[in-house]
């Protein structure tokens, strides 16, 4: 299956790294664990993952460049136990979220099988810059005429 590049338009310049990130995140997500993303205020977000059966020491949250990565690894505690049916398996997961530059991860907590991660998105300052238009001479770029 081929898909058209999201940033393939000539109007998007220098965004190829974003497309690579999107591809990487899409390949790493298998739907487990389920999650919600909610906006809790104008500048705040919360990611909530359903991680029933995971203790705090089974979970790890890291920020790797512009990705928030949440990993879970349960220990297999079936030593000496005989299961007639095992529907609740110790399952590992890795869930990655691409976060925009400037988003701050404020903290996380585990409550009743739900892992909550708080994010703050500061309001960007508006930047306006006037570009001078020269006559027939081309502007110097890195020492080149």
């Amino acid at each position: 299956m081929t898909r058209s590049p999201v940033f393939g338009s000539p109007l998007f310049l220098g965004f190829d790294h974003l497309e690579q990130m999107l591809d990487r995140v899409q390949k790493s997500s298998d739907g487990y664990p389920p999650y919600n993303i909610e906006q809790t205020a104008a500048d705040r977000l919360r990611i909530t993952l359903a991680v029933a059966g995971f203790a705090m020491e089974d979970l790890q949250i890291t920020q790797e460049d512009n990705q928030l990565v949440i990993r879970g690894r349960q220990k297999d505690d079936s030593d000496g136990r005989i299961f007639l049916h095992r529907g609740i398996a110790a399952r590992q997961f890795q869930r990655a979220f691409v976060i925009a530059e400037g988003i701050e991860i404020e903290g996380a907590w585990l409550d009743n099988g739900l892992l909550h991660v708080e994010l703050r998105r500061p309001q960007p300052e508006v930047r306006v810059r006037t570009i001078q238009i020269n006559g027939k001479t081309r502007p110097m770029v890195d020492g080149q005429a």
Side-chain angles (χ1 to χ4, degrees), residues 31-135:
Y32 179 79
Y35 65 92
N36 291 337
I37 300 175
E38 58 185 304
Q39 184 171 352
T40 58
D43 64 343
R44 299 201 180 272
L45 301 169
R46 179 181 299 145
I47 300 173
T48 302
L49 283 86
V51 292
F54 286 85
M56 284 190 339
E57 57 270 6
D58 299 332
L59 299 167
Q60 179 186 36
I61 303 172
T62 57
Q63 182 176 353
E64 301 170 9
D65 292 325
N66 55 346
Q67 283 191 356
L68 170 67
V69 180
I70 303 170
R71 294 178 178 91
R73 176 172 294 180
Q74 288 179 310
K75 295 164 193 68
D76 188 10
D77 62 348
S78 63
D79 296 336
R81 295 164 59 186
I82 299 170
F83 290 93
L84 300 179
H85 171 76
R86 185 154 189 187
I88 304 172
R91 184 173 178 188
Q92 299 180 61
F93 72 86
Q94 176 175 312
R95 173 71 72 180
F97 299 91
V98 176
I99 56 176
E101 210 170 298
I103 287 191
E104 299 169 6
I105 301 167
E106 293 193 325
W109 77 95
L110 185 62
D111 181 40
N112 292 324
L114 297 175
L115 175 65
H116 304 279
V117 181
E118 292 290 328
L119 307 167
R120 188 171 73 82
R121 177 178 43 193
Q123 297 300 321
E125 54 187 65
V126 177
R127 298 184 331 185
V128 176
R129 184 176 137 210
T130 302
I131 310 301
Q132 181 179 349
I133 302 173
N134 295 321

